[in-house]
């Protein structure tokens, strides 16, 4: 028997070929968040949803693993995460991701997160490790409802595994975090592009002896942003050798903090403490 092709199914398959990771979270009748839909292919491997926190009840934790050993030249990775209304989910990685040396070409990583009404979504992957000559373009887009809460951690460090007296650094790193409403109207945008020359050069306002940087975002349009910033600053003041700051985000969309430090341990500690606040 011959069946006419379903154009909707064909379009779904075409779109699916684009994604390396496609997740959709839903809330069950017993208030637990589960994966309603999941699709992953190389280099990603997905662990089952775990329920590690007693509060908030029902929050689902998912660890994302990579079978590739890092990001390589000419990789072009696309990830899509959709948190349906009332869901609570925490997505993280099993370890830091190495961005390998790229003598030719560059790599791309694109993540889109859509957070619907009254959901809580936490995206806190481990830091990127930029090896010498690494070139990476990283874009993270957040589409969120006015009543959604999204927490983000974004961090990277420069590392030369050969441990030379004069270490080599990554070649170029482009990073963009763009927050919009569900219709695509821009709320706030953070974009930076750095190279080894302007990142580690002896210029005022650059990194100097610091080789790691991390940023934490609390996105919520109903919380008292100024009060949260004061709490953030109290946490940041307790960090040892880190240089940091916190401020409100545009359009009353929340608060954020940025930390630079000599090593990634201080960044991890800072982001962890901000998350606890």
């Amino acid at each position: 028997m011959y069946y006419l092709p379903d154009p909707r199914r064909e379009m779904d398959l075409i779109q699916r070929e684009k994604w390396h990771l496609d997740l959709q979270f839903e809330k069950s009748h017993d208030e637990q968040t589960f994966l309603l839909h999941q699709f992953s292919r190389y280099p990603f491997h997905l662990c089952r949803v775990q329920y590690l926190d007693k509060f908030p009840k029902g929050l689902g934790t998912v660890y994302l693993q990579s079978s590739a050993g890092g990001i390589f030249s000419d990789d072009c990775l696309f990830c899509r995460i959709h948190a349906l209304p009332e869901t609570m989910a925490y997505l993280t990685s099993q370890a830091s991701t190495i961005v390998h040396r790229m003598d030719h070409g560059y790599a791309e990583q694109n993540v889109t997160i859509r957070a619907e009404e009254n959901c809580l979504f936490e995206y806190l992957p481990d830091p990127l490790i930029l090896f010498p000559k690494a070139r990476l373009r990283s874009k993270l887009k957040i589409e969120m409802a006015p009543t959604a809460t999204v927490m983000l951690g974004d961090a990277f460090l420069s590392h030369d595994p050969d441990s030379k007296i004069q270490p080599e650094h990554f070649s170029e790193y482009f990073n963009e975090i763009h927050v919009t409403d569900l219709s695509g109207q821009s709320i706030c945008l953070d974009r930076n592009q750095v190279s080894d020359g302007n990142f580690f050069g002896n210029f005022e306002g650059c990194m100097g002896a610091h080789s790691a940087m991390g940023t934490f975002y609390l996105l919520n349009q109903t919380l008292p942003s100024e009060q949260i910033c004061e709490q953030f600053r109290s946490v940041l003041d307790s960090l040892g050798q880190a240089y940091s700051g916190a401020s409100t985000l545009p359009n009353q969309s929340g608060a954020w903090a940025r930390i630079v430090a000599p090593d990634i341990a201080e960044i991890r500690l800072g982001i962890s403490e901000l998350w606890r606040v």
Side-chain angles (χ1 to χ4, degrees):
M1 183 178 292
Y2 177 75
Y3 293 94
L4 291 174
D6 184 343
R8 292 172 299 179
R9 177 175 172 79
E10 286 192 345
M11 182 57 67
D12 181 63
L13 291 173
I14 292 171
Q15 290 295 323
R16 182 170 292 181
E17 288 180 359
K18 172 184 176 182
W19 305 106
H20 296 81
L21 179 72
D22 189 9
L23 307 177
Q24 188 175 56
F25 291 91
E26 173 67 289
K27 187 177 74 169
S28 67
H29 67 279
D30 59 358
E31 305 298 319
Q32 283 192 332
T33 294
F34 67 99
L35 277 171
L36 178 66
H37 164 77
Q38 58 178 304
F39 171 80
S40 62
R41 61 186 174 100
Y42 181 86
F44 295 111
H45 174 265
L46 201 64
C47 296
R48 62 179 295 179
V49 181
Q50 301 180 59
Y51 301 95
L52 307 175
D53 298 273
K54 294 182 179 179
F55 181 83
K57 182 182 178 182
L59 183 141
T61 296
V62 175
Y63 285 88
L64 190 61
Q65 296 180 323
S66 172
S67 59
I71 297 175
F72 297 86
S73 179
D74 298 326
D75 280 350
C76 191
L77 306 176
F78 290 90
C79 306
R80 178 172 63 180
I81 300 102
H82 185 192
L84 290 171
E86 308 289 339
T87 56
M88 296 181 293
Y90 179 95
L91 180 63
T92 185
S93 56
Q94 91 285 7
S96 294
T97 299
I98 296 173
V99 184
H100 290 273
R101 186 185 190 97
M102 300 176 191
D103 294 312
H104 305 284
Y106 64 94
E108 292 186 40
Q109 179 174 262
N110 302 274
V111 180
T112 300
I113 297 171
R114 187 174 179 88
E116 303 278 0
E117 290 79 6
N118 299 315
C119 79
L120 167 65
F121 191 82
E122 303 174 5
Y123 180 62
L124 296 164
D126 283 306
L128 294 170
I129 304 176
L130 303 178
F131 273 21
K133 304 300 181 183
R135 297 182 180 92
L136 178 66
R137 295 178 60 86
S138 174
K139 291 186 177 182
L140 173 60
K141 185 178 182 183
I142 312 298
E143 304 167 348
M144 59 184 299
T147 57
T149 299
V150 178
M151 282 185 270
L152 304 173
D154 181 71
F156 72 92
L157 69 149
S158 178
H159 175 65
D160 185 352
D162 293 334
S163 301
K164 299 175 182 177
I165 297 176
Q166 185 64 36
E168 286 188 276
H169 303 299
F170 61 87
S171 292
E172 188 174 4
Y173 179 57
F174 174 88
N175 178 263
E176 177 182 285
I177 295 178
H178 189 194
V179 183
T180 73
D181 63 20
L182 295 182
S183 67
Q185 182 67 35
S186 184
I187 296 175
C188 64
L189 172 66
D190 178 33
R191 179 188 291 140
N192 59 75
Q193 183 171 359
V194 292
S195 64
D196 60 342
N198 61 29
F199 196 73
F200 295 97
N202 188 21
F203 305 110
E204 182 178 354
C206 288
M207 296 289 285
H210 296 52
S211 61
M213 184 168 79
T215 309
F216 179 82
Y217 298 79
L218 171 59
L219 300 169
N220 182 295
Q221 298 183 30
T222 62
L223 294 175
S225 299
E226 291 288 354
Q227 181 179 341
I228 291 170
C229 276
E230 291 303 316
Q231 293 177 314
F232 281 3
R233 290 177 185 126
S234 296
V235 169
L236 297 174
D237 287 344
S238 66
L239 299 179
Q241 303 179 53
Y243 181 75
S244 58
S247 67
T248 59
L249 290 166
N251 299 308
Q252 299 181 336
S253 55
W256 75 321
R258 177 159 286 165
I259 310 166
V260 296
D263 59 67
I264 199 61
E266 201 81 357
I267 302 292
R268 287 179 182 272
L269 175 62
I271 290 180
S272 177
E273 291 303 312
L274 292 169
W275 172 77
R276 291 178 189 278
V277 168

